[in-house]
Amino acid sequence: MFGVVHLPTYLAGVALIVLLPGPNSLYVLSVAARRGVRAGYTAAAGVFCGDTVLMTLSAAGVASLLQANAVLFGIVKYAGAGYLTWLAIGMMRAARQMWRTRRERQREETAAEPVAAEERPYRRALVVSLFNPKAILFFVAFFVQFVDPGYAYPALSFVVLGAFAQVASVLYLSALIFGGTRLAAAFRRRKRLSATATSAAGVLFLGFAVKLSLAS
């Protein structure tokens, strides 16, 4: 079908890959838990657009350029690691504020409003997705295994494979978003739980930043 081979194997692989925790899915879950379904889908839209751009770049051969040019790969890699670190620091600062004010509900709600107003979930999720050179390389390394080398229109094969991957991503992120809104109700009742979860998210983002900075 459209130059795609071993489709069941590909779908199984996509399901496993989508379920692996990463900065994109973690950020969507965090936004949904803090700001609700609408904001969660706004962040998810950033992930979808970012992944679409990466898939397009992969099909256009940008992955080969990154693989061959160590300097370019390094620039994109460290820029992405720096952005993830910045997000992690922001989460940890928010968690520290929660710990300090968890017994003063009125002050906490007042202080939380400006932070929520300033956050732009779509833009942040988009940047997190785009500044990941390993994702571009991954899309080519994974997709190419399921493209018939004899098919006359390989770009169409990439489009089909990418569409399946995006559908899986939509389903998974939707589950995270609606699960996140349930977490939000628990967070509102238990401020200590909210602060702990935000701290943990910040630590995980730092881990993602270190992992990306060490990538080769």
Side-chain angles (χ1 to χ4, degrees), residues 9 103 113 192 207 209:
T9 304
R103 294 180 180 176
E113 286 301 320
R192 182 175 296 180

Side-chain angles (χ1 to χ4, degrees), residues 33-78:
R34 288 182 286 111
R35 300 182 56 186
V37 171
R38 183 174 180 179
Y41 271 110
T42 301
V47 173
F48 302 146
C49 291
D51 285 349
T52 299
V53 171
L54 294 184
M55 292 176 191
T56 303
L57 292 176
S58 298
V62 173
S64 299
L65 178 62
L66 285 175
Q67 205 165 21
N69 192 322
V71 174
L72 180 59
F73 181 85
I75 291 173
V76 178
K77 176 179 71 172
Y78 288 117

Side-chain angles (χ1 to χ4, degrees), residues 13-137:
V14 164
L16 291 173
I17 292 162
V18 167
L19 289 174
L20 289 174
N24 293 347
S25 57
L26 180 62
Y27 181 68
V28 171
L29 176 62
S30 172
V31 169
R34 288 182 286 111
R35 300 182 56 186
V37 171
R38 183 174 180 179
Y41 271 110
T42 301
V47 173
F48 302 146
C49 291
D51 285 349
T52 299
V53 171
L54 294 184
M55 292 176 191
T56 303
L57 292 176
S58 298
V62 173
S64 299
L65 178 62
L66 285 175
Q67 205 165 21
N69 192 322
V71 174
L72 180 59
F73 181 85
I75 291 173
V76 178
K77 176 179 71 172
Y78 288 117
Y83 188 73
L84 289 177
T85 301
W86 180 72
L87 287 179
I89 292 173
M91 290 179 178
M92 290 180 176
R93 290 178 62 186
R96 184 178 64 179
Q97 183 178 1
M98 291 177 192
W99 281 113
R100 287 181 174 179
T101 61
R102 65 182 185 273
R103 294 180 180 176
E104 302 172 28
R105 180 174 299 232
Q106 186 175 1
R107 280 182 55 194
E108 183 180 87
E109 291 175 352
T110 302
E113 286 301 320
V115 176
E118 292 174 3
E119 186 176 12
R120 294 177 175 84
Y122 174 84
R123 188 175 70 179
R124 287 193 175 187
L126 178 65
V127 174
V128 168
S129 296
L130 292 178
F131 278 98
N132 190 353
K134 292 203 74 178
I136 302 177
L137 298 175

